[in-house]
Amino acid sequence: LMENMIYNELIRRGYSVDVGIVEVTRVIDGKRKQSQYEIDFVVNVGNNKVYIQSALNVDTPEKKAQETFSLRNTGDFFRKIVVLDGNRKLWTDEDGVIYVGVIPFLLEDIIVDIAKWNNKCFNGIASFADYMRNTESMILQEYMNKWTEYIKK
């Protein structure tokens, strides 16, 4: 259900959305084994891509590793997002993977902010989380206004 909501919202916003496949070759017991892993959504933004994985939670190291495995093995520099259940505040892990709750994700087009960050990343902004902290109070207020309007309906 959450994946459907995310997909429908991305399409509503006018994005080109694909499903991604990552091929990983590993050596197990001296034999090469090739496996394919899915990325829920690949959003095409101009010359950039944003990878999005939907997950209910990443509460344990094992669950986090499972949910981000395909993202960490894309072999490129494009931004990666894990959309989690609930209203979790945006944060970035040590590998640059962005995590955000589905409610803020649906209420705010952070893909646009990520595209802006991609353009500014070589101009001294250390991370997407730093970029978002600069606009956090404005965005949080906007989330709350939209959420209040939604609840009133």
Side-chain angles (χ1 to χ4, degrees):
L1 183 62
M2 191 166 83
E3 280 186 25
N4 290 342
M5 290 181 352
I6 293 167
Y7 176 78
N8 288 337
E9 184 62 18
L10 292 169
I11 294 300
R12 188 191 69 76
R13 292 176 183 170
Y15 291 116
S16 169
V17 182
D18 299 311
V19 174
I21 299 293
V22 175
E23 293 187 357
V24 177
T25 302
R26 295 189 263 188
V27 177
I28 300 173
D29 296 328
K31 297 180 183 176
R32 290 177 53 149
K33 181 180 178 188
Q34 191 166 6
S35 302
Q36 293 184 335
Y37 298 89
E38 181 183 80
I39 296 175
D40 292 335
F41 309 106
V42 180
V43 180
N44 302 294
V45 184
N47 293 331
N48 291 312
K49 295 178 184 179
V50 177
Y51 300 115
I52 300 175
Q53 193 71 17
S54 171
L56 291 178
N57 65 65
V58 289
D59 294 342
T60 66
E62 295 80 17
K63 182 69 171 168
K64 182 179 175 186
Q66 174 192 353
E67 294 294 349
T68 61
F69 183 82
S70 58
L71 298 176
R72 295 177 194 282
N73 284 283
T74 61
D76 62 32
F77 60 90
F78 294 117
R79 300 304 296 174
K80 293 135 177 96
I81 303 173
V82 177
V83 180
L84 303 167
D85 189 29
N87 195 25
R88 297 187 191 183
K89 189 175 171 182
L90 186 140
W91 58 281
T92 305
D93 72 10
E94 63 279 355
D95 294 319
V97 176
I98 299 165
Y99 299 81
V100 65
V102 67
I103 293 170
F105 182 85
L106 294 174
L107 292 175
E108 183 67 31
D109 191 352
I110 68 168
I111 304 294
V112 169
D113 291 326
I114 289 171
K116 288 179 188 174
W117 179 84
N118 280 337
N119 292 333
K120 293 182 178 185
C121 68
F122 297 109
N123 294 328
I125 294 177
S127 71
F128 182 71
D130 291 339
Y131 172 76
M132 289 303 294
R133 271 188 222 99
N134 294 333
T135 57
E136 184 176 277
S137 61
M138 178 184 71
I139 290 171
L140 181 58
Q141 185 60 50
E142 192 172 329
Y143 287 157
M144 295 309 294
N145 291 342
K146 288 179 182 178
W147 182 247
T148 302
E149 288 173 26
Y150 176 77
I151 291 173
K152 288 180 181 177
K153 289 182 182 178

